[in-house]
Amino acid sequence: MLPLFFMVWVLFKAPQKFRTSSEALGPADEYSARVDIEMDSPGPSHIIRSIPLKAKSGTARVHAPKDLQVAHLFAPVGKCSEQTLPLKNAGNIDVRLKLKVILSFFMFHSLLTVLVLPSGPQYEVTLKGEVLPSDSRNPAAPSAPVCGPSLTSDIPPILSNKQFVAWGGVTLGRAVQQKLVLRNNSTSTTQQLRLLIRGQDQDCFQLQSLFSPEECLTHHGELSIRPREDVSVHLLFAPTRVACMLAKLEIKQSGVRSSQPGVKFIIPLSGYGGTSNIVLEDQRKHGDGYVATLPDVAVGCVSKVCLCVRNTGSRAAFVKAVAFSDIQSRSLMHSSVMSLAPSQFVLKERTQEVMDCSFNFKKKNPLATVCLFCGDEVSRQQYRR
């Protein structure tokens, strides 16, 4: 007796591509195919049904913060502690993860493995646990809030309006300030805090004193925040070279009893030195823009003008040109009327690119506005990752 149904497996094997770990990822590759089901007969065959097939091939990159490659957890006997491990998908394809903890009772060490299904890659995070003795005079500060009412009830929570502070690009020789707001969420306890900037590029980040009449700059300071009070912390970034710079702002609780650990917060700081600067050469300046004159204007004829785009900055720029028929209503100009070549490009520092603008006049009194949207290429690459 023939079976009523049977199963057919269709296997997809993505072609191999060799990329370095630092190479920027484009969109994932998509593949399509089709399975045709035909009747096996001596005469002409007819397709009974067609089933479309689609597959996607990409690169899986799962990132964890560098300062959390080793996760430290602290708790007294009978209590528990927790810590959040943020994972970022920096690849160009969705991933499924399998998490497994490999237990080891040696010095309370364990290993958290994060496996990208079905066949890797695999990432590892070391877990280290430590018991906080209740009678210790100098207990270690936990890197995450400790669960249990015996410790958290006497420690007022501190809230921040930012989880990280990013400056983007700053021109060398200049300094840009940003504000961070801290709130004492307690209803009864004044909070004493110590602020300290640390990290590989800590010299480029500074705290601006709130209480000194000279507004002096420093890498450390102290704050006293009353219950339900908000305090602004002013941070200054002054890059010294064309490079990406990282540091962190440590906020530690002071003035607690010796039998309790102090709370420690870390806010990452980032920025990079050098920016791009785009100008148009040999064009008449008009307000915030430029005016270009089209030669040989006539209905039914194509008129061309060349725009020389120059980057006078110290970093590469990404430039995208868009033509509008009405800039106020953001109405786009049809490509059959105006064409731009190239319409987008990466312009290295202190170089230029000539862009051809072709206008096909189909009516009298034509008017068009070409907008150049530009920014630092390094910033675009960071957002793409």
Side-chain angles (χ1 to χ4, degrees), residues 100-245:
K100 182 179 180 181
V101 176
I102 302 175
L103 297 178
S104 171
F105 294 99
F106 177 71
M107 294 294 293
F108 299 96
H109 287 196
S110 299
L111 192 66
L112 172 64
T113 61
V114 181
L115 175 65
V116 179
L117 298 177
S119 59
Q122 179 173 300
Y123 306 88
E124 296 180 350
V125 178
T126 303
L127 306 178
K128 292 186 178 181
E130 185 173 331
V131 176
L132 290 177
S134 58
D135 57 347
S136 175
R137 301 188 59 84
N138 295 301
S143 57
V146 179
C147 301
S150 62
L151 289 181
T152 58
S153 60
D154 296 330
I155 301 178
I158 294 296
L159 305 180
S160 170
N161 67 328
K162 295 180 180 179
Q163 293 182 342
F164 61 91
V165 183
W167 274 263
V170 175
T171 305
L172 297 184
R174 295 188 57 189
V176 176
Q177 183 192 88
Q178 287 209 52
K179 183 174 70 172
L180 178 73
V181 179
L182 300 178
R183 170 177 294 179
N184 183 0
N185 204 37
S186 172
T187 58
S188 58
T189 305
T190 298
Q191 185 79 342
Q192 305 288 337
L193 299 176
R194 294 195 304 268
L195 280 65
L196 176 64
I197 294 179
R198 301 181 63 181
Q200 60 187 32
D201 302 304
Q202 64 184 35
D203 292 340
C204 300
F205 300 89
Q206 292 177 310
L207 287 166
Q208 193 166 10
S209 176
L210 302 177
F211 309 105
S212 172
E214 296 83 8
E215 294 187 348
C216 63
L217 302 177
T218 180
H219 290 96
H220 57 85
E222 294 189 358
L223 286 178
S224 178
I225 310 179
R226 294 189 294 269
R228 294 295 184 181
E229 182 185 21
D230 291 349
V231 171
S232 298
V233 178
H234 296 274
L235 298 162
L236 212 65
F237 174 53
T240 57
R241 61 192 181 279
V242 180
C244 296
M245 299 167 193

Side-chain angles (χ1 to χ4, degrees), residues 258-275:
S258 59
S259 60
Q260 293 181 347
V263 177
K264 176 181 176 181
F265 306 89
I266 294 179
I267 297 180
L269 311 175
S270 65
Y272 59 87
T275 57

Side-chain angles (χ1 to χ4, degrees), residues 4-25:
L4 297 178
F5 64 89
F6 63 93
M7 182 179 296
V8 176
W9 288 93
V10 179
L11 302 180
F12 168 74
K13 184 177 181 180
Q16 289 187 350
K17 286 190 175 182
F18 298 95
R19 285 193 177 99
T20 62
S21 59
S22 59
E23 183 179 351
L25 295 177

